[in-house]
Amino acid sequence: MKTQSKSIRPPEGTVPLLIAAEKHGLTKKQAKDILLAIPQSFVKVGHKFFVNDFGDNLLGIRKPIENQWQSSKSENLMPDDDEPINEQALDVPQTEDVPQVLNATQRLFEGEETAIVKRCRMPNRTMLIVEYRGREVICRCKDSSMFIPGMRIIIRMDGYTLVSKYQPRKLGRY
């Protein structure tokens, strides 16, 4: 039985919240907080938020106002003298050895051989065509119905054949 993906189509004249937030240089949470305070600036379909033209204008206006408020706030609170507050803190060399936080998918792909799926709807459902080291080769899997073209997969060698190491649990995702 094939699974159908449940994609929510945006209502006409609206943009997904994430795209609208990135357009104005805001995070999704900041944009959502701004829009939730003002009625009729967004449309909610299921669990997704879509921004209409009114909400898009609000996000565009809100950003310069916040930046102006922050700049005036910092100008008024800065001390007039040029001496640093804590000289010992300035003498310590700054290091860039801050560890990056990896999500589960990044940890899964770290240090593994990967390939990109090119074709996954084949007559033989245990077969995929992937791009591996610049060539299109056949890769085996349990069931190709959850793979999508363009998906990055982890592979292993089984003799001379490539085999998908993990089976996706959701369409296009591990």
Side-chain angles (χ1 to χ4, degrees):
M1 183 169 117
K2 284 192 175 180
T3 58
Q4 294 286 334
S5 65
K6 294 182 181 178
S7 62
I8 298 173
R9 293 190 184 271
E12 192 171 330
T14 62
V15 179
L17 178 65
L18 182 62
I19 293 172
E22 288 176 351
K23 177 179 162 186
H24 297 291
L26 300 168
T27 65
K28 187 175 176 182
K29 185 174 183 349
Q30 289 171 334
K32 192 173 180 181
D33 290 341
I34 292 169
L35 295 175
L36 283 175
I38 301 163
Q40 298 179 348
S41 60
F42 65 93
V43 177
K44 186 175 180 187
V45 178
H47 63 281
K48 302 234 182 218
F49 285 85
F50 297 97
V51 180
N52 55 23
D53 290 334
F54 177 59
D56 195 40
N57 290 338
L58 284 174
L59 293 176
I61 293 169
R62 195 68 165 211
K63 186 182 169 203
I65 291 172
E66 287 178 359
N67 288 344
Q68 181 182 15
W69 178 77
Q70 288 174 351
S71 64
S72 65
K73 181 180 170 185
S74 63
E75 289 171 5
N76 294 340
L77 296 178
M78 290 297 289
D80 293 334
D81 51 341
D82 293 332
E83 293 182 28
I85 296 169
N86 188 354
E87 291 181 17
Q88 292 176 346
L90 296 176
D91 292 339
V92 176
Q94 299 294 323
T95 61
E96 296 295 324
D97 297 335
V98 178
Q100 284 189 338
V101 178
L102 300 175
N103 65 19
T105 307
Q106 290 170 335
R107 284 193 307 260
L108 184 68
F109 279 95
E110 191 174 23
E112 297 282 350
E113 282 284 323
T114 60
I116 309 277
V117 175
K118 291 297 179 184
R119 282 187 60 199
C120 51
R121 304 293 181 258
M122 311 275 290
N124 184 353
R125 296 186 83 171
T126 65
M127 204 166 78
L128 300 168
I129 294 183
V130 298
E131 184 178 321
Y132 176 66
R133 295 185 180 176
R135 299 179 309 165
E136 288 191 359
V137 293
I138 294 173
C139 177
R140 297 296 209 172
C141 64
K142 286 183 181 177
D143 182 20
S144 65
S145 65
M146 291 300 215
F147 292 91
I148 60 170
M151 180 181 177
R152 203 168 120 215
I153 62 171
I154 298 172
I155 55 169
R156 64 178 171 84
M157 293 297 291
D158 187 18
Y160 289 112
T161 59
L162 292 176
V163 179
S164 175
K165 197 169 181 181
Y166 301 110
Q167 181 73 16
R169 299 295 174 224
K170 294 181 182 176
L171 187 65
R173 287 190 256 164
Y174 282 112

